[in-house]
Coordinates of all heavy atoms in Angstrom, one line a residue:
H283 N 73.1 17.2 -6.6 CA 73.9 16.1 -6.0 C 73.2 15.5 -4.8 O 73.2 14.3 -4.6 CB 75.3 16.5 -5.7 CG 76.1 15.5 -5.1 ND1 76.8 14.5 -5.8 CD2 76.4 15.2 -3.7 CE1 77.5 13.7 -5.0 NE2 77.2 14.1 -3.7
V284 N 72.7 16.3 -4.0 CA 72.1 15.9 -2.7 C 70.7 15.5 -2.8 O 69.8 16.3 -3.0 CB 72.3 16.9 -1.6 CG1 71.8 16.4 -0.2 CG2 73.7 17.4 -1.5
K285 N 70.4 14.2 -2.8 CA 69.0 13.7 -3.0 C 68.2 14.1 -1.8 O 68.6 14.0 -0.7 CB 69.0 12.2 -3.1 CG 69.9 11.7 -4.3 CD 69.5 12.3 -5.6 CE 70.4 11.8 -6.8 NZ 70.1 12.4 -8.0
G286 N 67.0 14.6 -2.1 CA 66.1 15.0 -1.0 C 66.2 16.5 -0.7 O 65.4 17.0 0.1
D287 N 67.1 17.2 -1.4 CA 67.2 18.7 -1.1 C 66.1 19.5 -1.8 O 65.9 20.6 -1.6 CB 68.6 19.2 -1.6 CG 69.6 19.2 -0.5 OD1 69.3 18.6 0.6 OD2 70.7 19.7 -0.6
A288 N 65.4 18.8 -2.8 CA 64.3 19.4 -3.5 C 63.3 18.3 -3.9 O 63.8 17.2 -4.2 CB 64.7 20.2 -4.7
P289 N 62.0 18.5 -4.0 CA 61.1 17.5 -4.5 C 61.4 17.1 -5.9 O 62.1 17.9 -6.6 CB 59.7 18.2 -4.3 CG 59.9 19.3 -3.4 CD 61.4 19.8 -3.5
D290 N 60.9 16.0 -6.3 CA 61.1 15.6 -7.7 C 60.6 16.7 -8.7 O 59.5 17.3 -8.5 CB 60.3 14.3 -8.0 CG 60.9 13.1 -7.3 OD1 62.1 13.2 -6.9 OD2 60.2 12.1 -7.1
G291 N 61.4 16.9 -9.7 CA 61.0 17.9 -10.7 C 61.3 19.4 -10.2 O 60.8 20.3 -10.9
C292 N 62.0 19.5 -9.1 CA 62.3 20.9 -8.6 C 63.7 21.0 -8.2 O 64.5 20.0 -8.2 CB 61.4 21.1 -7.4 SG 59.6 21.1 -7.7
E293 N 64.2 22.2 -8.0 CA 65.6 22.5 -7.6 C 65.6 23.6 -6.5 O 64.7 24.4 -6.4 CB 66.4 23.0 -8.8 CG 66.5 21.9 -9.9 CD 67.2 22.5 -11.2 OE1 67.2 23.7 -11.3 OE2 67.7 21.7 -12.0
N294 N 66.6 23.5 -5.7 CA 66.8 24.5 -4.6 C 68.0 25.5 -5.1 O 69.1 25.1 -5.2 CB 67.2 23.9 -3.3 CG 68.4 23.1 -3.3 OD1 68.9 22.6 -4.4 ND2 69.1 22.9 -2.1
W295 N 67.6 26.7 -5.4 CA 68.6 27.7 -5.9 C 69.0 28.6 -4.8 O 68.2 29.2 -4.1 CB 68.0 28.5 -7.0 CG 67.8 27.8 -8.3 CD1 67.6 26.5 -8.6 CD2 67.8 28.4 -9.6 NE1 67.5 26.2 -9.9 CE2 67.6 27.4 -10.6 CE3 67.9 29.8 -10.1 CZ2 67.4 27.7 -11.9 CZ3 67.8 30.0 -11.4 CH2 67.6 29.0 -12.3
F296 N 70.3 28.7 -4.6 CA 70.9 29.7 -3.7 C 71.6 30.7 -4.6 O 72.7 30.4 -5.2 CB 71.8 29.1 -2.7 CG 72.5 30.0 -1.7 CD1 72.0 31.3 -1.5 CD2 73.7 29.7 -1.1 CE1 72.6 32.2 -0.6 CE2 74.3 30.5 -0.2 CZ 73.8 31.8 0.0
V297 N 71.1 31.9 -4.8 CA 71.6 32.9 -5.8 C 72.2 34.1 -5.0 O 71.6 34.7 -4.1 CB 70.4 33.4 -6.7 CG1 71.0 34.4 -7.7 CG2 69.8 32.2 -7.3
I298 N 73.5 34.4 -5.4 CA 74.2 35.4 -4.6 C 74.8 36.4 -5.6 O 75.3 36.1 -6.7 CB 75.4 34.8 -3.9 CG1 74.9 33.8 -2.8 CG2 76.3 35.8 -3.2 CD1 76.1 33.1 -2.1
I299 N 74.7 37.7 -5.2 CA 75.5 38.7 -5.8 C 76.3 39.4 -4.7 O 75.9 39.4 -3.5 CB 74.7 39.8 -6.6 CG1 73.9 40.6 -5.6 CG2 73.8 39.1 -7.6 CD1 73.3 41.9 -6.2
I300 N 77.5 39.9 -5.1 CA 78.3 40.7 -4.1 C 77.7 42.0 -3.8 O 77.1 42.7 -4.7 CB 79.8 40.8 -4.6 CG1 80.7 41.4 -3.6 CG2 79.8 41.7 -5.9 CD1 82.2 41.4 -4.0
A301 N 77.8 42.4 -2.5 CA 77.2 43.7 -2.1 C 78.1 44.3 -1.1 O 79.0 43.7 -0.5 CB 75.8 43.4 -1.4
P302 N 77.9 45.6 -0.9 CA 78.8 46.3 0.1 C 78.3 45.9 1.5 O 77.2 45.4 1.7 CB 78.5 47.8 -0.1 CG 77.1 47.8 -0.7 CD 77.0 46.6 -1.5
N303 N 79.2 46.1 2.5 CA 78.7 45.9 3.9 C 77.7 47.0 4.3 O 77.5 48.0 3.5 CB 79.9 45.8 4.9 CG 80.8 47.0 4.8 OD1 80.4 48.1 5.0 ND2 82.1 46.7 4.7
D304 N 77.1 46.9 5.4 CA 76.0 47.8 5.8 C 76.5 49.1 6.3 O 77.1 49.2 7.4 CB 75.1 47.0 6.8 CG 73.9 47.8 7.2 OD1 73.4 48.6 6.4 OD2 73.4 47.7 8.3
K305 N 76.1 50.1 5.6 CA 76.4 51.5 6.1 C 75.1 52.3 6.1 O 75.1 53.5 5.9 CB 77.4 52.2 5.2 CG 78.8 51.5 5.2 CD 79.8 52.3 4.4 CE 81.2 51.7 4.5 NZ 81.3 50.4 4.0
G306 N 74.0 51.6 6.3 CA 72.7 52.3 6.4 C 72.0 52.5 5.0 O 71.1 53.3 4.9
Q307 N 72.4 51.7 4.0 CA 71.8 51.9 2.7 C 70.3 51.5 2.8 O 69.9 50.8 3.7 CB 72.5 51.0 1.7 CG 73.9 51.3 1.4 CD 74.9 50.5 2.3 OE1 74.6 50.2 3.4 NE2 76.0 50.2 1.7
S308 N 69.6 51.8 1.8 CA 68.1 51.4 1.7 C 68.1 50.0 1.1 O 68.0 49.8 -0.2 CB 67.4 52.4 0.8 OG 66.0 52.0 0.6
W309 N 68.1 49.0 1.9 CA 68.3 47.6 1.5 C 67.1 47.1 0.8 O 67.2 46.2 -0.1 CB 68.7 46.7 2.6 CG 70.1 47.0 3.0 CD1 70.6 47.7 4.1 CD2 71.3 46.7 2.2 NE1 72.0 47.8 4.1 CE2 72.4 47.2 2.9 CE3 71.5 46.0 1.0 CZ2 73.7 47.1 2.5 CZ3 72.8 45.9 0.6 CH2 73.9 46.4 1.3
D310 N 65.9 47.5 1.1 CA 64.7 47.1 0.4 C 64.8 47.5 -1.1 O 64.4 46.7 -1.9 CB 63.4 47.7 1.0 CG 63.1 47.1 2.4 OD1 63.6 46.0 2.7 OD2 62.3 47.7 3.1
Q311 N 65.2 48.7 -1.3 CA 65.3 49.1 -2.7 C 66.4 48.4 -3.4 O 66.3 48.0 -4.6 CB 65.6 50.6 -2.7 CG 64.5 51.5 -2.3 CD 64.8 53.0 -2.3 OE1 65.8 53.4 -2.9 NE2 63.9 53.8 -1.7
L312 N 67.6 48.1 -2.7 CA 68.7 47.4 -3.4 C 68.3 46.0 -3.6 O 68.7 45.4 -4.7 CB 69.9 47.5 -2.5 CG 70.6 48.9 -2.4 CD1 71.8 48.8 -1.4 CD2 71.0 49.4 -3.7

């Protein structure tokens, strides 16, 4: 919808999954 948010022929993806809050997990692995 927003013109200029990506170059022609491209798209800007914001991809989310739900995760727990931080309790010291190994986030690099997750």
Side-chain angles (χ1 to χ4, degrees):
H283 178 83
V284 182
K285 303 304 179 185
D287 271 6
D290 291 343
C292 297
E293 295 173 341
N294 62 337
W295 287 27
F296 178 23
V297 181
I298 296 175
I299 68 165
I300 189 172
N303 57 53
D304 184 27
K305 295 183 175 67
Q307 298 94 325
S308 177
W309 289 105
D310 287 344
Q311 292 181 12
L312 290 178

